[in-house]
């Protein structure tokens, strides 16, 4: 066993995270979809900050010692993780700084500030560099959006809840950006029921994770190419840690088009009465448009977030 394999998150870590965050995050329901055969939705869009990221952020902050809590934390985020960390940090009295790409949606920028975080806007390619500079300059603790065992364990609680509510599930479909959610969910589901298929989904125009998994190493796509997807939460590359989890536990990864993503945002609003941002709609898009690429049976699609840009919403729902 390699050192990296030894560092993989385990089911016990996810169960510990579930106990730690109980009562601090919403235990989202499974919603049956009579308009789609054998489909249930896991609406993480119903979390207080509108996305699953609250799970990992809450778990990570609660594991900090008092000295690091007092000094404060920093992260880099396109929006949802930043909001989650700000929300959880405010509850614990922990100062939070969020380095965000200057192309982030105004909704996410203002929401992050609204939860009390200091927001620093930088070009997309500089977000991690500036966050590391703040660690060195201010003595802050970095809480990355996905490349950390505590984050992965917190996100994995989504998988625990899916299995608790539908133990007969056959397929779990999860979005893949940096890989924190997909790593945690795949770890939990495979530990509980190895026969259940866990399928990742990403935009076809930003399919770096599929290429990374095929190559067995992290592939970094050009920034301009990643920015071409409307799914802004899925523009980040995998890390070595998330690649290791997905290589161990993910059964397959498929891609969806931009048109399929946007059409599914409309479908979720009209038929499921759920507001989903494009990143949160990719899994349902895979089920609705690529069912022949998925295993048969009872399928749960994780709707990872609902922070839909009002400008985009006005175009989609005009």
């Amino acid at each position: 066993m390699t050192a990296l394999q030894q560092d993989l998150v385990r089911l016990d870590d996810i169960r510990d995270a579930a106990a730690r965050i109980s009562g601090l995050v919403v235990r989202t329901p499974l919603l049956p979809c009579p308009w789609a055969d054998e489909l249930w939705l896991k609406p993480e869009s119903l979390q207080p900050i509108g996305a699953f990221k609250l799970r990992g952020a809450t778990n990570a902050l609660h594991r900090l010692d008092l000295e690091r809590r007092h000094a404060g934390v920093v992260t880099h985020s396109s929006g949802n993780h930043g909001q989650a960390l700000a929300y959880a940090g405010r509850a614990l009295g922990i100062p939070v700084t969020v380095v965000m790409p200057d192309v982030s949606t105004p909704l996410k920028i203002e929401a992050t500030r609204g939860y009390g975080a200091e927001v620093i806007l930088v070009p997309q390619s500089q977000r991690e560099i500036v966050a590391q500079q703040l660690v060195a300059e201010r003595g802050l603790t970095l809480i990355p959006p996905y490349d950390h065992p505590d984050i992965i364990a917190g996100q994995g609680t989504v998988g625990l809840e899916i299995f608790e509510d539908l133990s007969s599930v056959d397929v779990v479909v999860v979005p893949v950006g940096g890989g924190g959610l997909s790593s945690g969910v795949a770890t939990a589901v495979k530990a509980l029921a190895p026969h259940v298929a866990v399928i990742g989904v990403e935009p076809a125009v930003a399919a770096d994770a599929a290429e990374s998994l095929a190559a067995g190493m992290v592939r970094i796509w050009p920034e301009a190419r990643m920015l071409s997807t409307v799914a802004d939460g899925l523009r980040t590359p995998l890390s070595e840690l998330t690649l290791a989890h997905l290589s161990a536990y993910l059964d397959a990864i498929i891609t969806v088009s931009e048109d399929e993503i946007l059409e599914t945002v409309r479908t979720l609003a009209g038929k499921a009465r759920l507001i989903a941002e494009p990143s949160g709609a990719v899994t349902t898009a895979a089920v609705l448009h690529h069912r022949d690429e998925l295993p048969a049976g009872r399928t749960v699609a994780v709707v990872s977030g609902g922070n839909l840009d009002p400008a985009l919403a006005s175009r989609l729902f005009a």
Side-chain angles (χ1 to χ4, degrees):
M1 179 179 290
T2 68
L4 189 55
Q5 287 173 322
Q6 291 176 336
D7 290 339
L8 293 186
V9 168
R10 300 167 300 172
L11 180 60
D12 284 347
D13 299 319
I14 297 172
R15 284 177 166 153
D16 287 345
R20 198 171 290 118
I21 69 176
S22 179
L24 303 173
V25 306
V26 172
R27 191 193 186 288
T28 54
L30 282 188
L31 304 179
C33 299
W35 41 270
D37 187 39
E38 292 194 298
L39 174 63
W40 285 257
L41 302 177
K42 178 71 167 168
E44 286 297 293
S45 52
L46 300 180
Q47 292 294 344
I49 58 94
F52 74 94
K53 294 280 191 176
L54 189 58
R55 296 171 181 269
T58 301
N59 186 51
L61 287 185
H62 276 261
R63 284 181 52 78
L64 292 179
D65 59 37
L66 290 178
E67 182 178 350
R68 288 189 292 170
R69 291 187 187 190
H70 180 73
V73 300
V74 63
T75 195
H76 50 89
S77 167
S78 61
N80 284 339
H81 175 66
Q83 290 181 71
L85 202 65
Y87 182 95
R90 184 176 67 177
L92 287 171
I94 299 174
V96 175
T97 302
V98 182
V99 181
M100 297 182 71
D102 52 16
V103 294
S104 298
T105 63
L107 174 74
K108 292 181 179 181
I109 294 170
E110 291 309 312
T112 304
R113 286 180 174 143
Y115 294 130
E118 176 189 2
V119 174
I120 299 174
L121 299 176
V122 301
Q124 170 84 3
S125 61
Q126 295 296 303
R127 50 187 271 183
E128 294 188 41
I129 295 170
V130 173
Q132 290 289 358
Q133 289 173 345
L134 292 170
V135 169
E137 293 169 4
R138 301 186 187 178
L140 305 177
T141 296
L142 178 67
I143 307 292
Y146 53 87
D147 188 27
H148 195 286
D150 291 342
I151 296 293
I152 292 172
Q155 320 306 27
T157 59
V158 171
L160 287 185
E161 292 175 12
I162 289 172
F163 195 76
E164 288 170 359
D165 290 350
L166 188 68
S167 60
S168 59
V169 63
D170 298 300
V171 185
V172 175
V173 191
V174 63
V176 182
L181 175 63
S182 48
S183 292
V185 170
T187 298
V189 171
K190 287 297 186 180
L192 292 166
H195 65 280
V196 175
V198 183
I199 309 296
V201 186
E202 63 182 344
V205 297
D208 59 302
E211 185 176 302
S212 297
L213 285 164
M217 61 186 296
V218 175
R219 298 288 200 189
I220 308 295
W221 281 24
E223 179 181 342
R225 193 170 181 185
M226 298 301 285
L227 289 175
S228 68
T229 180
V230 70
D232 64 307
L234 306 181
R235 293 171 177 165
T236 48
L238 299 179
S239 68
E240 295 291 345
L241 182 61
T242 57
L243 176 63
H245 282 83
L246 297 184
S247 297
Y249 300 122
L250 198 69
D251 289 286
I253 188 165
I254 63 177
T255 62
V256 291
S257 73
E258 298 297 288
D259 286 344
E260 289 166 348
I261 294 170
L262 294 176
E263 181 180 333
T264 303
V265 172
R266 293 190 192 95
T267 299
L268 287 169
K271 294 187 176 180
R273 283 75 175 175
L274 286 176
I275 298 300
E277 62 189 279
S279 303
V282 296
T283 52
T284 310
V287 176
L288 297 182
H289 297 280
H290 299 268
R291 191 79 200 214
D292 59 338
E293 298 178 42
L294 296 171
R298 298 178 181 87
T299 300
V300 173
V302 179
V303 180
S304 56
N307 292 310
L308 181 61
D309 179 18
L312 177 59
S314 68
R315 296 198 301 271
L316 290 176
F317 304 134

